[in-house]
Amino acid sequence: MYSFRDTIKTKETLEYFGSEAFTINGEYLENIVPGYRTLSVSGRELLESEISTLSISGIDGEQYLQRRRPARILTIKYQINVDTCGEFREAFNLLNKALNAEEAQLIFDDEPDKCFYGTFSDTGDVPDGRNKIVSTFEMYCSDPYKHSTTEKTFQASKNTSGILEATVTNAGTESVPVSYDIVHNHENGFIGIVSEYGILQYGSADEADDEAREKSEVLLKYTKPSDYSAMTEGKGILASNDTFPMTGKFTGYEDGWLRLQSSGSGSSWHGAARQVTLPADSSGESGAVNFVAQTKIWFETSDASQDGLLEFVVGDTDGNHLASIHLVKGVGTAECTPIFQVQAKEKGRISYVPNSNSVTNRNNGNMEIRKSGELFEFLFGGKTYPYRVPEAKDKKALTLTIFIGQYANRANLVNQMAFGTMSFRKDNVQYRVDIPNRYAEGDVITIDGDTTKMYVNGVPALGDEVKGSKHFHVPPGESKIQFYFSDFCDPAPDVTVRIREAYL
C-alpha cells in the first residue's frame, strides 16, 4: 500500500504493526495484548444505503422518498501467537478488557487524521486446542461516518455590509454540526446566529443599553481588613435568626484577611460578629429591593476533627433575616455544609470537602447573594442556586452581618476561617435581565454543536436560548454564517466557528 515507512521505534514514533493496525482510545492492541496482531480490517470502504420508496398503482417504477445510512460494522481479522496455554488465556483476558469500551475511538494507521466510534459487538470462532490462532471480532459503529480527529476553525470578520460573518468550508462528505466560541469585548444583551440553514438567538434583543449601569450603585466596598472597622462589633443578625453569643473578637492580618482573634464563650455556637448598616443611595433612599451582596472567604481544614461556623447575612429594614449563606463544619466528618436561607428558612444546601484544593481555598472562595424581586440567587463554588420567594419580593436589604465561631469549648477550629473582600451593589430595577447587561465584557460564550448546549464562562445557561431557535448543520462546501449583537455592543465580540468534518 505504501512504498516506504520508517519502522524504527523511537520516543517520537510508534512501532509499525501493519498498514491496517489501529488504536482504540489511543492504545494499540499490539501493545496491550501479548502475541496480538491485526491482520486486516473490512467494512471501512463503501457503505450501503437503505432507500425508501412509494409504489403508486398504475405508474411505472417507484417514487423516491429518502435515503438513510445504516450502522457500520467493522470486522477485524487478527492473530494471537503465544507459546503456552497460560499466555493464551491471559492474552484473551487482556483483549476482552481492551474491547470493553462503549463508543471507543478507533484510528487506523493508514488514515491517522480520521476516526470511527465503535463498540465491540460480535466475535468469530476461536479454534480449539491451539495457542496460535486467527479469528475475527466486530466493532459496531452506530454512527456510520468517520470523523476528523481535529476541529477546523474559522474566524468571523465584518463583511462589506459591516455584518460580522464567517465563511465555513466543510471539506467532508456529510453535513456536520457547528460550534461557536464568542468572546465579548463589551457588554451585550443578545447573540443572533443566522444562516440559510437555521437561526439561533440567545438573550434579549430588547435588553437595555449600557445606560442601565447608571441605575446600579455600589454602596459598600471593603478590600482590606481595616475596612471592616466601619462595622459594629458584637452585633448582627444571624442565619435562622439565631441568638448565639457574639462576645468574640476579630483581627486583621497583613495578608489581607480578617480572622477570628477570640471566639468568646458559650455552651453552643459562639463567636465574633460584626454588622454594618448600608448607607443611603445617591438619591437619599435607604434599603435595596434588588441587590448583589458579595464576599470572598477562606474556609479550609487540615483534618476532619476541626469544626467551625462562618456566616454572611443580609438583614432587612425590619431588623430580620433576609438572606444568608452559612458554612457549617462539624467534627467527625471531612465535609462542610453551605446552607442557603431566605427569611430564616432553608432553601437548599450542598456539601463539599474544604481542603486546600477546594472552592473555598485562599485563591477561590467567592460567594454572592443576589435578589431581583422574588428571585434569590446564591453563587457558591462557581455555581448558581436560584430560588423564588414571592412573599419576599418587596423586602429591602439594609444590613450586612459577618460571623465566625466555634461550638462550645472545642478548641480544634477550622484551620482557616477568614473574610477577604466584601461589597454591596444596589440595583434599582425589577428584572435582573436588565441589570447589568446579560453578557459582560470578557464573558466567553460557548455553543456546543453536538449537544446544542450553551455555556457562559463554562457554566450551562440553558435558559438563555430563545424559543424557536433552530440548530443547524453545514453541508459539504462553503457556507456563510452571520452574527448579530446589541447596537451598543462596540467593539463587536471575537467569534470563532468550529466544525469537525465527517466522511463516508
Side-chain angles (χ1 to χ4, degrees), residues 401-416:
T401 298
I402 60 172
F403 178 87
I404 296 177
Q406 71 179 81
Y407 190 85
N409 60 354
R410 295 173 185 161
N412 195 11
L413 279 172
V414 170
N415 190 45
Q416 296 288 351

Side-chain angles (χ1 to χ4, degrees), residues 204-465:
S204 172
D206 298 326
E207 181 154 320
D209 64 17
D210 56 7
E211 291 180 357
R213 290 180 294 175
E214 297 177 2
K215 298 179 182 179
S216 299
E217 188 172 337
V218 176
L219 302 184
L220 178 146
K221 187 173 184 179
Y222 294 168
T223 59
K224 55 187 181 298
S226 60
D227 293 338
Y228 285 86
S229 62
M231 305 180 79
T232 301
E233 195 154 43
K235 182 180 179 182
I237 299 169
L238 300 182
S240 304
N241 280 329
D242 285 327
T243 57
F244 301 140
M246 304 178 189
T247 56
K249 301 292 182 182
F250 283 106
T251 184
Y253 285 79
E254 293 180 358
D255 62 357
W257 295 92
L258 185 76
R259 292 184 173 88
L260 190 67
Q261 183 181 55
S262 65
S263 59
S265 61
S267 59
S268 179
W269 289 107
H270 57 91
R274 284 187 183 179
Q275 184 184 65
V276 63
T277 298
L278 297 166
D281 62 23
S282 56
S283 68
E285 181 184 2
S286 295
V289 172
N290 305 303
F291 60 82
V292 177
Q294 173 274 337
T295 187
K296 184 175 182 179
I297 64 166
W298 186 359
F299 196 94
E300 180 181 325
T301 58
S302 57
D303 64 70
S305 66
Q306 296 176 344
D307 71 347
L309 175 64
L310 181 148
E311 299 192 357
F312 180 52
V313 184
V314 180
D316 66 19
T317 52
D318 297 320
N320 295 319
H321 177 284
L322 180 57
S324 66
I325 300 176
H326 67 279
L327 282 67
V328 182
K329 169 64 178 68
V331 298
T333 175
E335 293 188 338
C336 171
T337 304
I339 300 174
F340 313 122
Q341 290 189 344
V342 176
Q343 292 188 311
K345 296 179 181 178
E346 181 177 328
K347 295 299 178 182
R349 65 172 60 196
I350 59 175
S351 62
Y352 75 105
V353 177
N355 56 31
S356 60
N357 296 316
S358 76
V359 296
T360 54
N361 64 21
R362 70 175 300 155
N363 298 316
N364 298 312
N366 185 64
M367 303 193 309
E368 292 185 9
I369 302 173
R370 298 186 175 192
K371 180 178 182 291
S372 181
E374 66 180 42
L375 176 63
F376 289 78
E377 294 181 295
F378 299 88
L379 279 70
F380 184 88
K383 296 182 179 180
T384 302
Y385 303 89
Y387 308 96
R388 291 193 177 273
V389 187
E391 60 270 26
K393 176 182 177 182
D394 298 320
K395 286 290 184 179
K396 289 185 177 182
L398 186 62
T399 62
L400 294 180
T401 298
I402 60 172
F403 178 87
I404 296 177
Q406 71 179 81
Y407 190 85
N409 60 354
R410 295 173 185 161
N412 195 11
L413 279 172
V414 170
N415 190 45
Q416 296 288 351
M417 285 194 294
F419 285 93
T421 60
M422 186 169 75
S423 65
F424 186 93
R425 189 188 75 208
K426 179 177 180 178
D427 296 323
N428 294 321
V429 294
Q430 289 295 314
Y431 302 103
R432 208 181 123 212
V433 66
D434 291 323
I435 51 157
N437 294 118
R438 185 178 295 258
Y439 308 116
E441 179 179 345
D443 277 355
V444 179
I445 308 302
T446 303
I447 302 168
D448 189 311
D450 289 320
T451 64
T452 70
K453 291 182 178 179
M454 184 259 210
Y455 302 83
V456 179
N457 299 325
V459 178
L462 304 182
D464 282 16
E465 183 173 301

